[in-house]
Amino acid sequence: MSAARPGRTHDNTAAPYDHILAHLRAAGLGALADLGLRGLDNDVRDPVTVTASMPAAPTS
């Protein structure tokens, strides 16, 4: 799906250049991602990436 990149390249940087979300949509696939990728996919009608949400702050 993508070309090799240096190890220091963050996924959020590489994904738009390699059109990862478009490839996933075209294949009818989705992906689970960690919080580092939150905000990568802002299409609320057709989400491809699913990220966790921040835990609620403890109340005392």
Side-chain angles (χ1 to χ4, degrees), residues 6-59:
R8 67 181 178 273
T9 304
H10 192 274
D11 297 341
N12 268 352
T13 303
Y17 289 109
D18 294 325
H19 309 287
I20 298 298
L21 298 179
H23 289 295
L24 288 170
R25 278 193 182 91
L29 299 173
L32 296 175
D34 63 13
L35 289 173
L37 296 174
R38 205 169 49 166
L40 176 65
D41 184 11
N42 291 324
D43 188 347
V44 295
R45 292 175 297 161
D46 186 21
V48 171
T49 58
V50 176
T51 56
S53 59
M54 295 296 289
T59 59

